Structure formats: structure tokens, C-alpha cells
Amino acid sequence: MASLPLAIRNLTSIPLDLKLIEKFHAPEDLMSKGEGVFKNLTSFIPGNKTAEPPTSPTLAEHAPSFDRHEVSVPIAPFATSKTTSVNTSSVTASTAAPEVSRFTFEIDQQRYRIDLPSFSKASLRLHPLAPNPKHEITAIITAPPNPQLTLYPSSHLDSWMKNLKDATPLSALSVPGTHNSPTNHRALPSVRCQAVSPREQLENGVRFFDIRVQPEAPDKPALILVHSVFPISLTGPKYFRELLDTVYSFLAEHPSETLIMSIKREGTGNSTDIQLGRILADHYTAGNDARRWYLDPRISTLGQARGKIVLMRRFGIGPGLHAAHEGRGWAIDAESWADNTPHDVHGNVCVQDFYEVLETENIDKKIDYCCKQLDRASECVCHLPGITTDKDHPVPPQPFYLNFLSASNFWKPGCWPEGIAKRLNPAVVRDLCLRHHAGDHCHGDGGTGIVVCDWVGEGGDWDLVRCIVGMNTRLMVREMELTQGKQ
């Protein structure tokens, strides 16, 4: 296989310098077991499914290299450099290669390394060579025809919002979300959309939930979780109150975080949108629970929303709720965007929600729509109240850019949510690593908006979530620079 230049993209805020490239003979156990070894590495790290690099004992700590190049390849923050000193056929092979490539970087006067024995779906953590490392860096490897090593800051996904400024509008954030978030139960085909529970989603960085409910009766407070006309579990009804208890518990333990929750009425009952609004207002968001919700109809700042659920309603409301907040209404209005749309703007929401993938051939069309929505979100520039705009009368924030990666066709097993996610999620990871906001002439903060996914976290694979969260780094750097300039 021909050798291709290996690109290294630095999506951290820190200058990196590639100092050393070494080659080692692959250990026999790696060569015999192949790629599965590296996928299974994710299971050895409790609470963090990013794989540690196979430096020891998989590759002996002091194993002699048969090829060694001392280099200096500086890579500025948010820049990409290429090196021709690497045989990328061994770095990104889909089966076990006869050699291991080791890269040693210097970062802030400390050295870190990563070993790449083969192409793996799992991300890898750079291994610090000095005690008390100053940084944690995660690498994602993409295969030819554009082999690349993309380096992200290793966010603590359970509390990734804590380092962002309180003044940041929520719509400026790059937010991982899930579609039909509680549908991780055994269910009818095309009803189940998630691999793991809502609690596990929250612990691994998901900060947008898409919820569909059916009132048990128009005059009763119970809300049943549904997907279209179907219950989300074959073992009996699941209730919204139980889901809320999970969310409340997580936010109490992680007060720096917030959750944007979209709620829509579906199901077979004869209740109306207006009745759903009254049930939520009277039985879920009032009294002692009022402090747990942000219900203002405008886009909040992160500081206003920390520790709370921000309600985005996909249902109509009656006159009483329309009169709330001095006549401005109740909750973020996402009631009526166009159905099955590749692009629509409705009030505070700009959405891509093309979901009728009737044949597997149409998945490529869906991928294209998703990537175009990512491009739109990346071009936005965040206005920071009190820093780049007036604190009391700020420039209105950008809308929420909602990007649904979900699609399905009940009658085609290849187009059920899991099957589509197996193609679409890796394609979006690849786009974020290789193309998103890359180059010298990009405008905007490089964000992603809210990316609403199916089947994230399956087998401990949270790379899509890591990529989305990592796209907040550029905004964080800009906020820091602006704040320091204001002082």
C-alpha cells in the first residue's frame, strides 16, 4: 500500500510540536488478534471509554525501535500540519500491521506520546511522559484517503460546561444531544433509538434531550413516554416523572451543567397540545420544582441555566401560557418548523430534520444535509453580554442550530435507526475531524450547534460526543481573550 502524508490537526488551544517518530515491530499478540484488541481497550477505563494507548504492557516500555526520526513539526492551535515521514499504511490499516508507529509530542515543555498500531474506531489518550502532566489530550484517527490524527482537549464529559463563561448564550455552544432520548429499552423495530440509558448519556456529555409524551388522560398529570404512536418499551409504560427524577439527580450532582429538553406530544390519546401545556405548567414546573426549570421564552445565558432544565416546546399553548413572562409567552417556541426539512428557520430555531430515508441509498443525502447544517452553525459569531454587546440590552443571540442525525424507515431493516447511525455517526465524526471549520479563511466560532444523535455510546463509543464538545474550544479561547482585553 502506498504511503500517504499523515495530517495532524490540533483542535486544542495549546501549541504542539511533534518531536519524534519511531517504528516498532508489532507484538505477536497484536498481530494475531487484529483490530478487535484496540476496540476492547475501551473497557479497561472505568467511567471513560476513551482507550489508553497500547504503550505498556502491549508494547514494551523500552522496546527497541527499528526506525527513528527526530523531527520538529510545530502545530499551532486550530491548525493542521502534514508529515511525509510516516508510512500511513501501518498507522491506519484496518487489520493488524507488522509495525507500530509511535509519535512523541512536546506540549508546554512536557512530552506525550501515542502508539498507533492500526486504524481503530476508538479514540486514544496521549500518554504523558512526565509526572504531574499539565494537559490531557485525546486523539481520533481517520483512515485513508485522508489519513489524519486529530487532537482534542480531553474534556471531563460529565461536567464539560463548567469552564465556559456564565455570559455565554446557550445557542452559541456545541451541544451533543439525543433523539428520542429515553428509548433504550427493548421495543418494536424503529422505535428504539438509543443504546444506553438517559443517565449514562448525561454522564457522557449529552446536554439535549428529545422527549415525546402522551398524556395518560386530559385531566390527569401522568405523562407516558412514547415514540410516534408506540410505547418506548415492550415491558410496560415508562413515565416522564421517572425520567425527570434522573435528570434532577444528575443536575444536583453537577450544578455547572444544564439540559435543554425538547418536549413534543405524540401517541394515540385524544389529549391536545394545550392540555399538555397545562399539565406541564401545573404539575411539573410549578411549586418546589419551579427552581429546576428555565421557562423564559428567550435564549438564556449559561449562567442563567446552570443546574436547570431549559424547556423547548414543540407543542402549542393556550392563552394563559401565552400571557406568561409579561406577554412574551412560555418556554422556547419550536412549535411548528417544516416537516421533514433539510433546512428551516422558525423563531429561535434553525433546524435540519430530514428523516424520511426510504432506501439505504438516501443515507448519503442525509449525511450531506447534516454536514451543511454544521457549516451554518460554524459561521455564527457569539455576542457576549457585557463584553461584546451591552449587558442590559444585548444584541439578540444566534438561534439554536438543531441538527438531527436521526432518520428511519419502519419497513426497511437497513433504515432502522441503529443501521442508519452505523453509517451516519462515523461520517459526521470524519467531517468534524477533517473538514469542519478547517482552513485559514473560516468565519465564525466554529461551533456545531445542537447535534441530535441516535445510538451514541454503543460499546462505549463516545467519539461523536467528544468531537462535538471539543468544538467549544475555539469559543472558550475567544471568551478568555475578550475578557482579558476588557480588564
Side-chain angles (χ1 to χ4, degrees):
M1 182 176 179
S3 180
L4 298 170
L6 176 69
I8 303 175
R9 189 179 185 194
N10 178 12
L11 288 177
T12 78
S13 60
I14 316 153
L16 313 177
D17 197 348
L18 177 62
K19 288 294 191 182
L20 183 63
I21 302 171
E22 299 172 277
K23 302 285 185 59
F24 298 82
H25 291 292
E28 288 184 3
D29 61 331
L30 292 185
M31 294 179 65
S32 62
K33 295 179 182 177
E35 184 187 10
V37 171
F38 309 110
K39 290 181 181 176
N40 293 336
L41 283 171
T42 60
S43 64
F44 295 124
I45 307 169
N48 187 335
K49 301 304 184 181
T50 297
E52 290 286 359
T55 54
S56 178
T58 308
L59 182 64
E61 190 72 22
H62 302 292
S65 61
F66 68 81
D67 193 13
R68 176 185 173 95
H69 297 275
E70 292 189 6
V71 297
S72 181
V73 182
I75 313 166
F78 312 112
T80 302
S81 293
K82 289 189 177 181
T83 174
T84 57
S85 304
V86 181
N87 178 2
T88 52
S89 63
S90 68
V91 172
T92 60
S94 59
T95 57
E99 61 187 49
V100 173
S101 295
R102 171 177 287 175
F103 300 84
T104 300
F105 294 88
E106 188 167 281
I107 307 170
D108 205 3
Q109 299 182 324
Q110 293 182 323
R111 291 207 168 190
Y112 301 73
R113 73 181 179 210
I114 183 172
D115 296 336
L116 302 177
S118 71
F119 177 64
S120 169
K121 291 183 180 179
S123 56
L124 303 171
R125 184 72 55 82
L126 266 64
H127 178 71
L129 301 182
N132 303 314
K134 301 175 185 177
H135 305 287
E136 295 182 12
I137 308 291
T138 296
I140 294 178
I141 307 98
T142 46
N146 305 108
Q148 179 169 295
L149 184 66
T150 306
L151 302 176
Y152 287 92
S154 298
S155 300
H156 295 280
L157 292 179
D158 64 343
S159 54
W160 64 263
M161 291 178 157
K162 69 179 180 181
N163 293 324
L164 287 148
K165 300 290 185 185
D166 281 349
T168 310
L170 283 189
S171 56
L173 299 180
S174 298
V175 177
T178 49
H179 162 248
N180 277 287
S181 306
T183 59
N184 60 301
H185 305 280
R186 186 163 61 91
L188 293 172
S190 208
V191 172
R192 183 177 179 181
C193 299
Q194 300 304 325
V196 302
S197 69
R199 176 72 195 205
E200 191 169 347
Q201 294 171 36
L202 290 167
E203 290 172 346
N204 285 279
V206 171
R207 295 294 178 268
F208 174 93
F209 274 4
D210 168 44
I211 307 299
R212 320 295 174 93
V213 297
Q214 171 190 320
E216 197 167 52
D219 57 347
K220 293 183 178 180
L223 297 174
I224 301 170
L225 297 169
V226 294
H227 180 181
S228 185
V229 297
F230 303 107
I232 66 168
S233 173
L234 293 175
T235 61
K238 304 295 181 183
Y239 287 91
F240 182 59
R241 176 64 71 186
E242 297 169 0
L243 174 68
L244 280 187
D245 289 341
T246 296
V247 176
Y248 291 159
S249 174
F250 175 82
L251 291 176
E253 296 166 15
H254 302 82
S256 63
E257 308 304 288
T258 185
L259 178 73
I260 303 167
M261 182 179 288
S262 166
I263 298 179
K264 183 183 180 184
R265 181 181 62 85
E266 290 185 347
T268 58
N270 57 5
S271 299
T272 66
D273 278 7
I274 292 175
Q275 289 166 341
L276 171 60
R278 285 269 41 113
I279 290 171
L280 287 169
D282 294 342
H283 299 285
Y284 291 90
T285 65
N288 291 332
D289 287 334
R291 60 187 173 84
R292 305 178 189 267
W293 292 82
Y294 182 89
L295 300 172
D296 199 294
R298 59 188 169 196
I299 295 171
S300 76
T301 64
L302 181 54
Q304 292 169 326
R306 292 194 197 273
K308 299 180 181 181
I309 300 171
V310 176
L311 179 59
M312 179 181 290
R313 59 175 179 84
R314 293 184 64 188
F315 55 88
I317 54 177
L321 292 180
H322 270 299
H325 298 100
E326 299 177 341
R328 291 184 290 108
W330 189 77
I332 300 295
D333 179 8
E335 177 185 347
S336 55
W337 68 62
D339 186 55
N340 196 38
T341 179
H343 179 225
D344 188 34
V345 179
H346 174 79
N348 285 323
V349 176
C350 173
V351 65
Q352 180 282 123
D353 189 20
F354 174 78
Y355 60 83
E356 288 187 355
V357 176
L358 302 181
E359 302 289 343
T360 54
E361 292 80 4
N362 290 339
I363 297 177
D364 287 337
K365 180 190 291 187
K366 174 69 176 180
I367 291 170
D368 181 59
Y369 289 152
C370 293
C371 293
K372 287 178 178 176
Q373 182 75 347
L374 290 172
D375 290 344
R376 295 184 192 103
S378 74
E379 294 172 356
C380 294
V381 176
C382 168
H383 296 286
L384 297 173
I387 300 175
T388 63
T389 182
D390 185 76
K391 181 178 181 180
D392 298 319
H393 303 284
V395 173
Q398 66 217 55
F400 285 110
Y401 280 77
L402 273 175
N403 196 354
F404 282 85
L405 308 194
S406 52
S408 68
N409 178 2
F410 184 87
W411 307 108
K412 290 276 186 178
C415 293
W416 291 348
E418 182 179 8
I420 290 177
K422 284 185 184 300
R423 282 187 56 187
L424 204 147
N425 290 0
V428 173
V429 168
R430 187 176 181 87
D431 184 78
L432 290 172
C433 287
L434 297 180
R435 195 190 63 82
H436 184 76
H437 210 68
D440 298 328
H441 304 291
C442 295
H443 175 73
D445 291 326
T448 65
I450 300 172
V451 184
V452 189
C453 316
D454 279 343
W455 284 89
V456 289
E458 184 180 19
D461 182 0
W462 295 99
D463 283 357
L464 178 53
V465 170
R466 288 191 178 280
C467 288
I468 296 165
V469 172
M471 290 300 171
N472 287 297
T473 305
R474 197 184 303 260
L475 174 62
M476 290 172 63
V477 170
R478 182 168 161 264
E479 287 184 340
M480 187 177 299
E481 292 172 347
L482 288 169
T483 303
Q484 290 173 348
K486 193 82 172 176
Q487 292 174 349

